[in-house]
Amino acid sequence: MRHSERHRTHRTGWLRAAVLGANDGIVSTASLVLGVAAAGADTKALLVAGVAGLVAGAMSMAAGEYVSVSSQADTERADLARESKELAANPAQEHAELMAIYAKRGLDATLAQSVATQLMQHDALAAHARDELGISDTMAAKPVQAAISSAGTFAVGAALPLLMVLVLPVSWLMWGIAGSSLLFLALLGLLAARAGGSPITASVTRVTFWGALAMALTAGVGALFGVAA
């Protein structure tokens, strides 16, 4: 019978960017709206501030992810180019390095030598990239994917507190936005845990705690300056 295993490491690239984007969208927009609301602004001002925060945040997330992941990709390409030159200049030494890696992982010397030889004959650069440098197709940096995931999920996350501004009466705005945003964060933590196979309780607690702290601090600043005005 065929044995099929489902692993989740192939999701780490886009999952990290997506969770970061959605979490930042909810937290930053809800915090911004709460801060402005605590200063005494009306619903129109809250929407203007929230939409501006959504656009600016989504673009910032996309640019930040693209730049940072591109830097990682540049480093990977530089390492691969250097490894390719070393393979061409001194294949025997590179073979010995690969053999030592396999021996360190538990293979006996004869088997380690055989595995290193066969893998280098098949694709020497891929073997060294994977086993010496830790670079694989699954874990390779993908700047565009990361940028799109972050920007898109930031916009979705940011839209949720703005939706609450539209549907909630003015008298309920503060507590309604705070409560609904914590609920959204908890759902995000749940989805991230399910997608990544991590513990649900830890994931939910992590995102809700930091979200609550950010909203509380921003609302406090808004109230302080609102009173001062």
Side-chain angles (χ1 to χ4, degrees), residues 93-103 112 115-117 119-120 124 127-128 131-132:
Q93 181 178 334
E94 293 301 307
H95 179 275
E97 286 182 359
L98 202 59
M99 177 181 167
I101 291 172
Y102 298 141
V115 171
T117 300
L119 288 178
M120 287 189 68
H128 281 269
D131 295 319
E132 182 181 350

Side-chain angles (χ1 to χ4, degrees), residues 181-200:
S181 296
L182 289 176
L183 176 61
F184 297 144
L185 287 171
L187 291 174
L188 173 64
L190 174 63
L191 291 174
R194 292 292 298 273
S198 59
I200 293 177

Side-chain angles (χ1 to χ4, degrees), residues 139-157:
M139 305 299 292
K142 298 178 176 64
V144 174
Q145 182 189 72
I148 293 174
S149 296
S150 288
T153 53
F154 181 97
V156 172

Side-chain angles (χ1 to χ4, degrees), residues 12 40 44 151 154 157 176:
T12 54
K44 181 178 179 180
F154 181 97

Side-chain angles (χ1 to χ4, degrees), residues 21-120:
N23 181 80
D24 200 16
I26 296 171
V27 172
S28 63
T29 305
S31 298
L32 175 63
V33 170
L34 287 173
V36 176
D42 58 18
T43 301
K44 181 178 179 180
L46 295 181
L47 287 174
V48 171
V51 172
L54 185 156
V55 175
M59 293 307 300
S60 177
M61 290 294 293
E65 282 290 333
Y66 185 83
V67 170
S68 63
V69 179
S70 291
S71 297
Q72 178 186 340
D74 290 342
T75 301
E76 291 176 356
R77 282 192 291 269
D79 280 345
L80 288 174
R82 178 180 178 182
E83 193 65 30
S84 181
K85 292 179 181 179
E86 292 175 350
L87 283 167
N90 199 339
Q93 181 178 334
E94 293 301 307
H95 179 275
E97 286 182 359
L98 202 59
M99 177 181 167
I101 291 172
Y102 298 141
K104 188 175 180 180
R105 292 179 182 175
L107 300 184
D108 60 56
T110 302
L111 183 57
Q113 181 179 13
S114 176
V115 171
T117 300
Q118 292 185 49
L119 288 178
M120 287 189 68

